[in-house]
Every structure is written in structure tokens, then in C-alpha cells.
């Protein structure tokens, strides 16, 4: 068995070089993303067909979300409104975040900018970015003559 020394700095640098996770601090409009009030939690995965980005956006109406694509950067922004309470109601604890939110993702080179779909349900916004057909793995049959 060979022992290898773990280098957390090198591992973090490799993570940050991955184009899908590279932070882009500017939204498409030029607005600073770090000016947002909060950043929703995100899960990202891929399969053979597409990249899937899931944002946790409970209590955010789909019409309150704006998704833009510019120069290979997919930006998601919107706002979660603070609930209104009747007069005389006392708040005892507020842990959920409210206000403007923004996230941006640099898409990989094999992403198809013409094939992006978004749907919302159960408090999750799911964005599916198809991969270009020419970059998908495929099997080549061998012909017999």
C-alpha cells in the first residue's frame, strides 16, 4: 500500500479551477453579486445528457426569479419577500433569510446555451443545461465486411 500525503490547498485550487464552480462576482447586468442579501443553497450534478443546478428557493414565487445567460455565465437572481404580520403580532425568532438573492455559474464549454430549461416545484428551482450533442459520449459500432 502506498501512502499519499493529502494537500488540502492543492485540492481547493483544483476545485476552484473547475469551470462549473468558478465564482463570477458580477451578475449579467453588471450588478455585484455580493450586494445580494443572501445566497440560496445550491446542488449541482451532471449526467451523460446535462448539467443540473438546483437552488433552494422556498417561499419564492417563480415570477420573482430572473435567469440570464451572457458570455457563458448563467445568473439567477430574485427576491424573497419578508412576510407581513398583522398588527400586534410579536416575532420571537427569524432564521430564514429574506431580501434579494443572486448566484452565478460559469458554464462548461460543452454546455448548450440554446438548450436550457428551468422549472420550480417544492421550494426548489431546477435548471437543466443540456450538453452539446457532439460532446456526448457514444459507442461506435464496428462493421463487418
Amino acid at each position: 500500500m502506498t501512502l499519499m500525503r493529502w494537500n488540502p490547498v492543492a485540492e481547493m485550487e483544483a476545485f476552484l479551477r473547475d469551470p462549473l464552480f468558478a465564482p463570477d462576482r458580477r451578475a449579467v447586468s453588471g450588478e455585484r453579486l455580493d450586494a445580494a442579501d443572501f445566497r440560496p443553497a445550491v446542488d449541482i450534478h451532471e449526467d451523460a445528457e446535462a448539467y443540473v443546478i438546483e437552488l433552494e428557493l422556498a417561499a419564492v414565487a417563480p415570477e420573482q426569479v430572473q435567469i440570464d445567460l451572457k458570455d457563458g455565465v448563467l445568473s439567477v437572481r430574485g427576491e424573497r419577500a419578508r412576510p407581513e404580520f398583522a398588527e400586534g403580532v410579536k416575532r420571537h425568532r427569524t432564521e430564514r433569510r429574506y431580501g434579494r438573492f443572486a448566484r452565478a455559474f460559469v458554464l462548461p464549454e460543452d454546455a448548450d446555451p440554446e438548450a436550457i430549461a428551468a422549472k420550480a416545484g417544492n421550494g426548489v428551482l431546477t435548471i437543466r443545461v443540456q450538453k452539446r450533442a457532439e460532446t456526448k459520449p457514444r459507442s461506435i459500432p464496428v462493421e463487418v465486411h
Side-chain angles (χ1 to χ4, degrees):
M1 172 166 71
T2 305
L3 292 178
M4 296 185 67
R5 195 175 289 248
W6 179 53
N7 183 344
V9 174
E11 194 169 310
M12 181 58 82
E13 287 173 348
F15 173 78
L16 292 174
R17 280 193 304 270
D18 188 325
L20 189 60
F21 303 104
D24 179 24
R25 305 307 291 166
R26 292 218 172 257
V28 171
S29 68
E31 171 189 348
R32 295 283 298 180
L33 290 180
D34 48 6
D37 296 322
F38 74 98
R39 295 178 60 191
V42 173
D43 291 338
I44 301 173
H45 63 274
E46 74 173 284
D47 57 31
E49 302 292 320
Y51 297 96
V52 180
I53 303 168
E54 297 172 323
L55 290 92
E56 193 174 90
L57 293 178
V60 178
E63 28 314 320
Q64 294 297 104
V65 178
Q66 179 181 345
I67 303 171
D68 296 304
L69 178 66
K70 182 177 180 185
D71 299 329
V73 177
L74 184 73
S75 296
V76 181
R77 72 171 58 78
E79 186 167 352
R80 181 177 0 209
R82 184 173 296 280
E84 298 291 326
F85 291 99
E87 191 171 322
V89 173
K90 289 170 62 174
R91 290 185 194 185
H92 291 280
R93 181 182 300 256
T94 301
E95 292 184 356
R96 292 185 290 169
R97 316 253 10 237
Y98 298 98
R100 295 175 302 143
F101 62 85
R103 295 298 302 257
F105 310 93
V106 177
L107 296 181
E109 289 183 21
D110 64 344
D112 185 351
E114 301 301 319
I116 299 174
K119 66 179 179 176
N122 297 327
V124 176
L125 173 67
T126 302
I127 303 171
R128 188 169 176 85
V129 182
Q130 292 293 114
K131 293 180 181 178
R132 289 193 188 110
E134 65 269 10
T135 61
K136 291 180 189 170
R138 63 187 179 103
S139 295
I140 313 268
V142 176
E143 294 181 25
V144 178
H145 294 281

